[in-house]
Amino acid sequence: MSRKGGMVSAVSGPLRFRSIGGWVERPVDLQPELEGHVNADVIVVGAGFAGLSTALELTARGADVVLLEQEFGGFGASGRNAGYLLGSMGIEFELFTKRVGLEHARKFVNFYDEAVCYVERRLAELGIDCDYNPSGVIRAVVHPSQEKWLRRSMQLGLELGSVTRFVDQAEMRARGIPPAFLFGCEQRGGTLNPGKYVSGLRRAALQAGVRLYEKTPLLSYSEGATVTCKTAHGSANAPIMVLATNAYTPQLGLLRDKIAPIRVSAIETQPLSPEQLASLGWHGREGIITPHLTMESHRLTAHNTMVLTVKKLNYVYGSKTPNVPDNGAYGALVQTLRERHPSLQGLGIQHCWSGYVSAAYDALPVVGTTGARQNIHYVAGCSGHGLATHSLMGQLMAERINGVEKPVLTALRHKTPSTLPEPFQWCALKATFAAVKQYDDWTNRKARNLAVPTRRSQCFVLSRFREDGAQPRIRH
């Protein structure tokens, strides 16, 4: 087996770590770094879904916008996620209903579902072709023991206004959903290429006149009637600043007590052959997520690869966000690929990547203002569901800055629980992840036992990742 990027493929060909994620490439029109001093009506920091959407919406309302990005548009979580356009089904109804109450929870559900409509509308308005497949998304169980939780969650969601429908086993098989996924609940939405989407937003922002400065990290900012942002070779002044930096916000000295950067990971297979696609079925290419405590996501892309994400979470001491491989997470995803899709034995993994999402302890969005003049706006806490919500947030932030705060934004305001100081946060999160893994492993063992009679000839064992980062070998 060949070696590349410090890892060895589990099957055929090298598995390489992509430091920029699997969906994007460095833009050929990389915008120049900020040099010297500039003035603007609004400074937006962070060129992901939230930052680009905010800059576009502000510019459409007549504002002169400067957008600062430490790498390039889409480099962070926006260009690394699974590409699910998913509404309220992606959140934990019981958790946040206990946190904010039924009436308030209904407003959160409305926000998440409206965000899907917003993105669909913006794709048409901005002419963004990002391979959007409005197939719906299914939260599908892998063992019957998950049914009770699924139905309870679905019922509470319906009470809150989340429109979902139950998909029984007969319909799952008729639609060609891989048989590892027994039944589930479905919501409107679908899958897209997040790299093409965020690149489309970037292109639209440049065409609209947004002054985008890439390779320009924000080093510091000062508060006051005018906010001054300092960069390595320049500075920018504006009466208003928007921090759309998500998981990187604590490193700027803000929200360290509200959010934690959580590392999530992904693998992408080599393209499936026509025979492999036929063996798989899955004609509608619906996005699939599971109700594990740490969910799995499975999807086919427009270029006939399969992308799996999440499965294992990680946290780096001190809320740091190093752009490094997470070999343990990739190993868990490879094992999941083999177990859920046994007809794809021998399918190679072409690359892997990791990134950071921001999460509050109640898994709800964190929005607000800060500064002596309350003229520094921030948005974070997407908890891995930022494609739709942080896109809509751009419109809501622009409206607020223009003096009109929509009820849906007002509804997001709530008391976010405080995070723990180090080393307690590191200990608490690591312990939580370990406990969650134990529970999910128990579910997966039951799912394996359930599947053994139907695919005994395809049984395999994955040896653990070697400490040098090598991929596991498959033993048939």
Side-chain angles (χ1 to χ4, degrees), residues 246-247 249-250 255-261 319 358-360 366 380-381 419 425:
N246 205 22
T249 309
L255 301 187
R256 170 62 184 82
D257 62 335
K258 299 298 181 185
I259 61 171
S319 292
S358 63
V366 179
T419 60
Q425 173 147 290

Side-chain angles (χ1 to χ4, degrees), residues 76 99 116 142 158 251 272 347 410 456:
R99 179 70 186 167
V116 174
V142 300
L158 291 171
Q251 297 171 33
L272 279 68
L347 178 64
T410 303
R456 191 175 297 275

Side-chain angles (χ1 to χ4, degrees), residues 37 71 79 131 135 138 149 152 161 176 184 189 196 206 214 240 252 309 362 413:
H37 180 77
E71 288 292 340
D131 304 326
S135 58
I138 299 176
W149 179 91
R152 186 174 70 243
K196 289 185 177 181
L206 291 173
E214 295 178 306
I240 296 170
L252 298 174
T309 64
D362 60 4
R413 296 179 181 273

